[in-house]
Amino acid sequence: MCDNWTAQMSHLALYRKYRPDSFAEVAGQEHITRALGNAIDRGTFVHAYLFSGPRGCGKTSTARLVAQALNCEQGPTSTPCGTCRFCTSIRTGQCIDVIEMDAASQTGIDDIREAVIENAIYAPMEARFKVYIIDEVHDLSSKAFDALLKTIEEPPAHVLFILATTELGKVPLTVRSRCQKHEFRRGSLPDLVKRLETVVQREGWTAEPGALGAVARMADGGYRDALSLLEQVAGSGSGLVTLADVNETLGLVPDDLTNSLLRALSDHDGGKTLALIDEAMLSGREPRAVLESLIHKASELTRLVHGAEIGTIEPDRRALLHELATYVGKENLARFGLGLAEAHAKLRTSGLPRLWLEIALLGLTEKPAEVVGKAAPVKTAEPSKPEPIAKVAAVELPVDPELADMERAWRQTIENIIARGSKSAEEMLGTSRVIRMLEGTITIELASQFMYAKLEDPNGRTHRELQTNFRSTIGDDKWSLAYRLRSGDGPAGEEPAKVPMPLEGEELEKAIEEMGGERISNSK
């Protein structure tokens, strides 16, 4: 029984078992390991280093390799032997002269004074250099940083500091300025897959095509996270890593379901979208997992349509991605990416995540308001025309994307009327703007009191003609126009709009006729 327990307790996690044993094995950080190796070989290494970067990208492992390179019996050398007593004891964490601290749990000035300041003055007991590796150094208190500063600034010749942090901005500038900084990069998808393939091969496992890519995408650039996820998936002990196991173990949404969701969004099919959400929920997937799977797939397709690198993938899967990207289209991918990212940010604080997921995806099934109709599209006039359309007063677009689309459509409607020779439209409608969309009604704010009086009658000819022009511009007859007179102060930050003087006589009759009214005859 004891032997069994000992065997279980001696099991090493994959990320510990496959820690890099040399600078050459540190994946994705060649720009750092090359600089460190050259400095050690030349004897130009410094007394304090600051390693920053995301979690699980090799900061602590590289710090231990620096300690090995400096203290190896064959060194200092960039290629330590790995077999001498110093290399072995440092790798196993048993070297008395390599002191590792976790600043997340040892944050105070007393911890720093006892572990570092009071002991740094003494020479190493057996190694060549005494190396202090302080992980998550940004968690130290301000007083602890102050106490550490003097020792880092002028350490004894036999002492070297390596500080590691995931939040460089929290490290005081005074400390940063006394260290040589190296920024570790997040692992790329090809590098992560390559690392996983190496581990699978060494473990004697077999990985199904696509399974390691799914694990790498979930790791989000972290080598340690990638190995932890791989070990979690391979926990059954069968030696076969399948895509189905990855999806089931990590709670991912299968590719087929994600692809069907993107097709339903592209087809503006709300019913199909809801049915697919139900299918995902019944299979035990969380709303957040559904959104994240859609975001990853939309990102992958977007990179594909723009010709960017998406990593090494099998030919069959690449062909399917090309087909899906063509079906969804570049414009939809851009719209989906933004909408899904916004929904994901709000889902974290939502008390009803499934309901929020349904609302967000149903919103993406709606057709964009900016549609080419019978008249010109909602864009600026083509430069090829000999005479440009008269310009309409510039109005800042609303933050709401749908409201901004309607504002563009309204601007285009005015320009179309002006292009037909109506100068009064420029004066009376040029500073108007869309302020609200509610239940099929678009509310227009007018600066001209004269025009407001003409348009407030919903049965009036001027209103009907203007509404017809607007519907023609957007290619959708469901929208109605309503109007509101702008207050004298105008919106915050803007000057009050200039209201044209009332027209009289022939000018009044001409303006009424231009806006769709009838000329008043003088005959009785």
Side-chain angles (χ1 to χ4, degrees):
M1 177 67 73
C2 293
D3 291 341
N4 290 337
W5 276 108
T6 303
Q8 292 177 23
M9 294 298 292
S10 63
H11 170 74
L12 281 178
L14 287 182
Y15 76 86
R16 294 181 61 193
K17 184 176 181 180
Y18 290 100
R19 281 187 185 275
D21 290 327
S22 66
F23 287 137
E25 291 186 12
V26 180
Q29 314 298 341
E30 291 80 6
H31 62 296
I32 295 176
T33 55
R34 187 185 308 112
L36 292 173
N38 290 338
I40 291 171
D41 286 338
R42 296 170 184 169
T44 57
F45 52 89
V46 297
H47 63 274
Y49 291 96
L50 178 57
F51 293 167
S52 65
R55 70 180 190 275
C57 61
K59 298 185 297 296
T60 305
S61 296
T62 303
R64 291 174 179 171
L65 289 174
V66 170
Q68 280 185 235
L70 293 175
N71 288 312
C72 176
E73 291 181 351
Q74 309 299 323
T77 175
S78 62
T79 55
C81 67
T83 57
C84 70
R85 61 190 181 109
F86 293 119
C87 288
T88 303
S89 62
I90 292 172
R91 185 169 58 248
T92 57
Q94 296 176 341
C95 182
I96 195 170
D97 290 317
V98 177
I99 302 96
E100 294 191 33
M101 288 182 58
D102 180 12
S105 57
Q106 296 172 283
T107 62
I109 185 173
D110 292 336
D111 297 316
I112 290 297
R113 182 182 293 113
E114 179 181 348
V116 180
I117 299 173
E118 293 179 355
N119 289 305
I121 58 175
Y122 299 110
M125 296 188 68
E126 55 181 7
R128 188 178 294 113
F129 291 95
K130 182 177 286 188
V131 180
Y132 289 92
I133 300 174
I134 306 179
D135 203 8
E136 301 298 339
V137 70
H138 60 270
D139 281 330
L140 289 179
S141 67
S142 58
K143 290 186 177 180
F145 270 124
D146 291 341
L148 184 63
L149 182 61
K150 183 64 175 177
T151 306
I152 290 182
E153 186 175 27
E154 298 178 0
H158 57 265
V159 171
L160 185 135
F161 288 96
I162 304 177
L163 315 180
T165 178
T166 55
E167 298 184 51
L168 181 61
K170 291 185 177 181
V171 180
L173 184 60
T174 50
V175 173
R176 281 184 273 165
S177 65
R178 288 160 173 81
C179 301
Q180 185 179 101
K181 295 182 287 294
H182 291 282
E183 186 171 352
F184 285 67
R185 299 169 181 166
R186 193 180 299 275
S188 65
L189 188 61
D191 284 343
L192 288 169
V193 171
K194 183 178 179 181
R195 184 63 176 163
L196 291 174
E197 288 173 344
T198 300
V199 172
V200 165
Q201 183 179 7
R202 291 184 181 179
E203 289 291 317
W205 299 338
T206 303
E208 189 177 81
L212 297 185
V215 172
R217 283 190 292 274
M218 278 295 291
D220 193 27
Y223 292 93
R224 183 175 63 224
D225 289 349
L227 292 178
S228 296
L229 292 172
L230 176 64
E231 186 170 28
Q232 183 178 343
V233 173
S236 62
S238 64
L240 176 63
V241 181
T242 67
L243 183 57
D245 289 339
V246 172
N247 291 333
E248 189 64 31
T249 305
L250 303 183
L252 303 182
V253 178
D255 264 5
D256 291 345
L257 184 56
T258 304
N259 297 346
S260 297
L261 271 171
L262 285 175
R263 289 178 182 271
L265 295 179
S266 303
D267 293 337
H268 313 292
D269 191 340
K272 180 68 171 177
T273 299
L274 290 175
L276 291 169
I277 292 175
D278 290 340
E279 182 180 339
M281 297 298 104
L282 288 173
S283 65
R285 301 304 188 262
E286 294 293 327
R288 182 171 178 176
V290 175
L291 268 181
E292 288 176 350
S293 296
L294 285 170
I295 291 171
H296 282 301
K297 182 55 68 68
S299 173
E300 194 172 31
L301 295 177
T302 301
R303 293 182 65 82
L304 188 66
V305 299
H306 287 283
E309 178 59 43
I310 59 173
T312 304
I313 58 176
E314 53 274 15
D316 289 345
R317 186 168 185 272
R318 184 178 287 272
L320 288 173
L321 289 176
H322 270 290
E323 180 185 351
L324 183 60
T326 302
Y327 188 93
V328 176
K330 186 183 293 186
E331 292 183 359
N332 274 336
L333 284 172
R335 186 166 62 90
F336 293 165
L338 180 61
L340 292 170
E342 291 176 349
H344 186 263
K346 295 178 180 178
L347 188 68
R348 297 177 180 178
T349 57
S350 173
L352 299 169
R354 175 172 177 172
L355 181 60
W356 182 255
L357 172 67
E358 292 177 353
I359 292 172
L361 295 190
L362 285 177
L364 293 178
T365 63
E366 296 183 2
K367 294 182 180 180
E370 188 175 330
V371 180
V372 178
K374 300 176 184 177
V378 187
K379 293 181 180 178
T380 56
E382 296 180 3
S384 59
K385 294 183 178 180
E387 294 183 4
I389 294 176
K391 293 196 178 287
V392 181
V395 175
E396 183 179 352
L397 292 177
V399 175
D400 187 331
E402 293 186 2
L403 204 60
D405 288 339
M406 287 301 179
E407 178 63 49
R408 294 188 189 96
W410 176 245
R411 298 285 97 192
Q412 185 64 44
T413 301
I414 301 172
E415 289 188 355
N416 291 341
I417 296 173
I418 296 172
R420 293 198 289 268
S422 176
K423 293 184 179 179
S424 59
E426 182 178 1
E427 294 178 355
M428 298 180 187
L429 297 175
T431 58
S432 61
R433 64 177 187 171
V434 176
I435 60 171
R436 187 183 300 117
M437 291 172 57
L438 183 63
E439 298 179 353
T441 299
I442 306 296
T443 302
I444 308 296
E445 186 181 65
L446 300 168
S448 168
Q449 189 169 4
F450 173 76
M451 181 55 65
Y452 175 73
K454 283 184 63 62
L455 292 173
E456 65 176 344
D457 180 8
N459 297 316
R461 181 174 177 180
T462 303
H463 164 76
R464 286 187 281 109
E465 292 289 338
L466 190 57
Q467 183 165 270
T468 299
N469 283 328
F470 179 74
R471 288 173 173 175
S472 177
T473 299
I474 64 174
D476 192 342
D477 291 339
K478 75 175 182 179
W479 294 103
S480 300
L481 294 180
Y483 309 95
R484 190 184 80 175
L485 185 63
R486 183 176 301 170
S487 62
D489 295 336
E494 295 184 4
E495 294 183 1
K498 296 181 179 179
V499 179
M501 296 297 293
L503 304 179
E504 299 179 353
E506 288 292 328
E507 292 183 358
L508 176 59
E509 292 183 8
K510 183 178 179 182
I512 293 173
E513 185 177 24
E514 288 175 348
M515 294 305 298
E518 298 180 355
R519 180 179 288 274
I520 302 173
S521 174
N522 290 327
S523 60
K524 295 181 180 179

